[in-house]
Amino acid sequence: DDTEIAAGAGEDSERADMTAVELLHQARIVIFRIHHLMDHGRVSMRGRPVVDAESFFDAVGGFSSQDKDAALSLEAFQAGLVMFHPSISPNAAATCFKYLDKNGDGQLRRLEFVDRMAVERQAVELGQQLLRYMDLKRLVDGALVCDPESMFRVVDTDGDGGVV
């Protein structure tokens, strides 16, 4: 469950004051930044090209792509994120780590990371499709065009049931 990200006892006050929804939002922002950088530029880390979630994971941990059992600690993940995108704070990285670590064992395994990044990519793509759809439903002459009937009413300016 995504709401299980809530900050626990002993964590610094910035995270302890955040709600589960705010923590989830912060984690997703970090994930979006990772995807955005991979999608919109040539990115490398430690001399390795970063083109997808798996190559990001390998670069952060210094792993070989053959090491299928590789796991990142929180510290390695934080250090890698800061190297990858310096504006990501250690707290944001920790929140993201906790979100990605689905089994909660304190180790981010390759499969956990790659699977979760794929889910988040699908969510972003779905959101983009929704925004494109919403763009089609913009206000036209003050009328909300959200279905064929509404669209017809907008273009039938004289209300006679026909379009010239």
Side-chain angles (χ1 to χ4, degrees):
D1 183 78
D2 293 341
T3 59
E4 293 178 11
I5 302 171
E11 293 179 325
D12 66 38
S13 62
E14 179 184 332
R15 285 192 65 209
D17 291 341
M18 296 178 77
T19 67
V21 171
E22 291 169 326
L23 290 166
L24 176 62
H25 180 70
Q26 186 179 54
R28 286 189 164 149
I29 287 172
V30 171
I31 292 167
F32 177 79
R33 286 180 180 167
I34 294 168
H35 279 302
H36 182 76
L37 287 171
M38 287 187 297
D39 291 346
H40 296 351
R42 293 185 195 131
V43 178
S44 64
M45 184 186 300
R46 297 183 178 154
R48 298 174 178 205
V50 176
V51 296
D52 57 20
E54 209 159 346
S55 61
F56 177 85
F57 183 87
D58 290 339
V60 167
F63 302 123
S64 158
S65 61
Q66 305 305 314
D67 189 0
K68 299 299 179 192
D69 296 325
L72 289 170
S73 67
L74 170 60
E75 294 76 22
F77 185 73
Q78 285 174 312
L81 275 182
V82 169
M83 186 185 326
F84 187 67
H85 198 298
S87 71
I88 297 174
S89 73
N91 285 336
T95 299
C96 186
F97 181 89
K98 191 167 184 175
Y99 175 68
L100 293 169
D101 181 18
K102 290 310 283 182
N103 66 6
D105 68 353
Q107 296 290 310
L108 185 54
R109 302 208 181 321
R110 177 187 303 277
L111 188 58
E112 282 178 311
F113 181 78
V114 171
D115 286 352
R116 196 59 169 170
M117 292 295 284
V119 166
E120 291 300 321
R121 173 163 310 274
Q122 289 172 346
V124 167
E125 289 171 356
L126 181 60
Q128 289 170 340
Q129 288 175 357
L130 181 60
L131 288 175
R132 283 192 295 275
Y133 177 71
M134 300 280 291
D135 281 345
L136 298 174
K137 295 180 166 194
R138 292 191 185 253
L139 290 175
V140 177
D141 294 333
L144 180 61
V145 178
C146 57
D147 57 59
E149 186 178 325
S150 298
M151 184 176 287
F152 184 80
R153 283 195 308 267
V154 168
V155 295
D156 181 19
T157 56
D158 62 2
D160 69 353
V163 179
V164 179

